[in-house]
Amino acid sequence: DTGVSQNPRHKITKRGQNVTFRCDPISEHNRLYWYRQTLGQGPEFLTYFQNEAQLEKSRLLSDRFSAERPKGSFSTLEIQRTEQGDSAMYLCTGTPNTGELFFGEGSRLTVL
Amino acid sequence: QQQVKQSPQSLIVQKGGIPIINCAYENTAFDYFPWYQQFPGKGPALLIAIRPDVSEKKEGRFTISFNKSAKQFSLHIMDSQPGDSATYFCAARGKLIFGQGTELSVKP
């Protein structure tokens, strides 16, 4: 158990709907990353936070995607107007100062 | 320069065999090289990691060999077991760039 929890674990939605995923790292994880993983591929970096500051966003993160970490603790990833290509596993990691990434179980999105 | 290339894509060994998975990177600024193990439906779990100031690291049955001049590193699994059947990812820091993954099957 990495101490990183993600909710919901699985979300099925219709194309065009908005979805929001939540990640709760442990308190020592001052850095938080979001990754996306499609079947048969390695995780792809989306964005990361140092405490509450969003320091980097991948060009994979279109304007339909927004991530927040309002108090430097939990984070949310919202996808607006979902498309079938958004179907993937969305992974969150917490990272202490030592740099290791500890992944949550992921939130699987299926867009019909 | 941000890529991490992993091979092979899949690997089948007999129980007790020593699967070897290889990764190559390009960015010499990378300073941390972890391996992750992922079971179906689960998030990747950190298995073992190495920094470029050492050439080898062992933890239990898992060994990383690191060749800084060649910009390559590999994972060896000693005395592999069916329970080791999973997908393995190498990665490199900055923000962790992952390889494409290797699906390992260990036959009893």
Side-chain angles (χ1 to χ4, degrees), chain A:
Chain A
D1 182 8
T2 63
V4 180
S5 63
Q6 290 188 244
N7 291 287
R9 293 292 311 280
H10 194 182
K11 179 71 176 179
I12 302 172
T13 190
K14 292 182 178 179
R15 189 176 57 183
Q17 298 295 305
N18 299 344
V19 296
T20 299
F21 299 115
R22 176 176 168 130
C23 172
D24 286 87
I26 64 175
S27 58
E28 291 82 1
H29 292 167
N30 55 342
R31 283 195 181 189
L32 184 149
Y33 293 75
W34 284 98
Y35 283 81
R36 180 174 71 184
Q37 186 178 27
T38 53
L39 199 61
Q41 299 296 316
E44 297 173 295
F45 168 78
L46 293 179
T47 187
Y48 93 92
F49 293 83
Q50 174 82 33
N51 300 314
E52 69 274 11
Q54 187 173 19
L55 297 187
E56 188 171 350
K57 293 194 292 185
S58 162
R59 59 179 179 270
L60 291 175
L61 216 65
S62 76
D63 56 7
R64 297 184 297 105
F65 288 70
S66 62
E68 294 182 344
R69 195 182 185 196
K71 297 182 180 178
S73 56
F74 73 92
S75 177
T76 57
L77 177 69
E78 181 183 13
I79 309 173
Q80 295 181 327
R81 305 181 304 282
T82 52
E83 302 173 356
Q84 287 184 325
D86 297 332
S87 296
M89 175 79 86
Y90 290 86
L91 295 160
C92 169
T93 79
T95 303
N97 287 331
T98 48
E100 296 91 345
L101 266 61
F102 297 97
F103 283 89
E105 295 291 305
S107 293
R108 179 169 295 285
L109 174 64
T110 303
V111 181
L112 302 175

Side-chain angles (χ1 to χ4, degrees), chain B residues 6-51:
Chain B
Q6 184 172 344
S7 62
Q9 192 172 20
S10 64
L11 190 55
I12 300 174
V13 298
Q14 293 295 128
K15 179 182 174 182
I18 305 175
I20 300 173
I21 306 171
N22 301 299
C23 277
Y25 64 98
E26 298 173 353
N27 189 338
T28 54
F30 289 151
D31 63 353
Y32 173 71
F33 302 90
W35 285 92
Y36 284 82
Q37 179 189 57
Q38 186 175 32
F39 293 103
K42 300 290 187 180
L46 179 64
L47 195 59
I48 185 173
I50 197 168
R51 297 187 189 273

Side-chain angles (χ1 to χ4, degrees), chain B residues 43-102:
Chain B
L46 179 64
L47 195 59
I48 185 173
I50 197 168
R51 297 187 189 273
D53 53 346
V54 296
S55 59
E56 185 177 275
K57 183 174 181 180
K58 288 184 181 180
E59 285 185 4
R61 296 185 293 109
F62 300 93
T63 299
I64 299 180
S65 296
F66 186 82
N67 186 330
K68 188 174 181 178
S69 61
K71 292 187 284 186
Q72 294 176 347
F73 58 111
S74 59
L75 176 70
H76 302 229
I77 305 175
M78 306 301 176
D79 186 27
S80 58
Q81 302 296 312
D84 296 330
S85 299
T87 300
Y88 292 81
F89 294 96
C90 63
R93 196 176 48 192
K95 47 185 176 282
L96 274 205
I97 310 297
F98 282 83
Q100 296 77 21
T102 295

